[in-house]
Amino acid sequence: AQSVTQLDSHVSVSEGTPVLLRCNYSSSYSPSLFWYVQHPNKGLQLLLKYTSAATLVKGINGFEAEFKKSETSFHLTKPSAHMSDAAEYFCVVSDRAAGNNRKLIWGLGTSLAVNP
Amino acid sequence: DGGITQSPKYLFRKEGQNVTLSCEQNLNHDAMYWYRQDPGQGLRLIYYSQIVNDFQKGDIAEGYSVSREKKESFPLTVTSAQKNPTAFYLCASSITPDRSQPQHFGDGTRLSIL
């Protein structure tokens, strides 16, 4: 069965320091993986997407994520945090099995705080 | 600019009342989705539509209804049968129903009970 685990519910960093948001998944097939960001009282915005091309995926706003099949991980990183990065981040997995039963599995989210 | 418009931003429901949340997209996307978001939880799928005049139940469809009479519109009705409707509701669309496609989201409607 598919599942997504975001290993930290809250992460706090100082402005200018690196960001690491961790995501592990399980999937029976070659998954598609996504990271979305949600600012308070807003909808979600796609940060980046992995679909079996390059394992290192670059996204918007300086974020990137590395797909590691051996570790079943898809951690999100950014070299230097900015105050505007404070938001909720969601890791999402979608299987690619044939048929009509594909679905998205959402992680519970990681709240990122950025301190001045 | 293309996007998804949800209205209203805030909505209050009285006991026994049905309320309808609007979702309109001008992205020419085939698929549309409704999610419910509660604090500390991920998104849960209520209903989805792969094409006009078609829709399917998601994981938590009880107490909700939808219609898809036009490609650009996918309204959600929260009926009186939904006993715990207080939540943040998000509408999304994707260019095709393929779940490897990214979804585009509106800014949500926050529904509360009076």
Side-chain angles (χ1 to χ4, degrees):
Chain A
Q2 290 178 306
S3 67
V4 174
T5 303
Q6 293 187 239
L7 297 167
D8 306 292
S9 58
H10 300 279
V11 170
S12 183
V13 300
S14 297
E15 191 175 19
T17 64
V19 175
L20 170 63
L21 306 182
R22 298 181 295 166
C23 174
N24 285 358
Y25 70 93
S26 68
S27 175
S28 302
Y29 303 92
S30 296
S32 294
L33 293 155
F34 308 84
W35 276 99
Y36 285 87
V37 61
Q38 183 181 32
H39 288 91
N41 294 310
K42 289 289 191 179
L44 282 74
Q45 181 184 19
L46 179 70
L47 278 178
L48 49 80
K49 165 188 164 183
Y50 167 79
T51 53
S52 76
T55 56
L56 183 63
V57 183
K58 294 190 183 298
I60 62 170
N61 301 335
F63 285 94
E64 62 182 39
E66 186 171 8
F67 173 71
K68 292 188 176 180
K69 187 174 181 178
S70 60
E71 299 177 10
T72 61
S73 69
F74 191 55
H75 300 336
L76 182 70
T77 61
K78 182 173 181 177
S80 176
H82 192 271
M83 296 296 290
S84 61
D85 294 328
E88 190 85 14
Y89 291 80
F90 293 94
C91 181
V92 188
V93 63
S94 167
D95 76 87
R96 300 188 70 186
N100 293 325
N101 294 323
R102 281 174 272 187
K103 61 187 299 185
L104 295 183
I105 307 297
W106 291 79
L108 296 182
T110 298
S111 177
L112 175 65
V114 181
N115 305 308
Chain B
D1 276 343
I4 298 182
T5 301
Q6 289 187 244
S7 62
K9 193 170 180 64
Y10 299 96
L11 187 58
F12 298 90
R13 196 191 88 169
K14 295 180 182 178
E15 200 72 37
Q17 185 182 44
N18 293 351
V19 292
T20 297
L21 285 60
S22 170
C23 177
E24 303 279 329
Q25 56 105 351
N26 61 5
L27 298 166
N28 200 33
H29 285 178
D30 282 333
M32 297 186 75
Y33 311 84
W34 274 106
Y35 292 94
R36 171 178 172 141
Q37 186 177 29
D38 294 280
Q41 298 195 31
L43 274 64
R44 292 185 290 170
L45 183 64
I46 305 172
Y47 267 98
Y48 64 99
S49 168
Q50 299 185 89
I51 199 166
V52 177
N53 293 321
D54 169 79
F55 51 83
Q56 312 286 337
K57 291 182 179 180
D59 299 318
I60 55 164
E62 186 175 349
Y64 300 97
S65 66
V66 294
S67 63
R68 185 91 187 274
E69 297 175 0
K70 298 186 295 182
K71 187 175 186 177
E72 57 270 24
S73 179
F74 191 42
L76 173 75
T77 297
V78 184
T79 75
S80 56
Q82 173 49 248
K83 297 306 180 188
N84 183 23
T86 297
F88 191 50
Y89 290 87
L90 288 160
C91 180
S93 70
S94 60
I95 192 164
T96 73
D98 183 351
R99 301 300 170 89
S100 68
Q101 291 292 327
Q103 295 185 3
H104 299 254
F105 286 82
D107 279 344
T109 293
R110 189 167 297 280
L111 176 62
S112 303
I113 297 294
L114 277 180

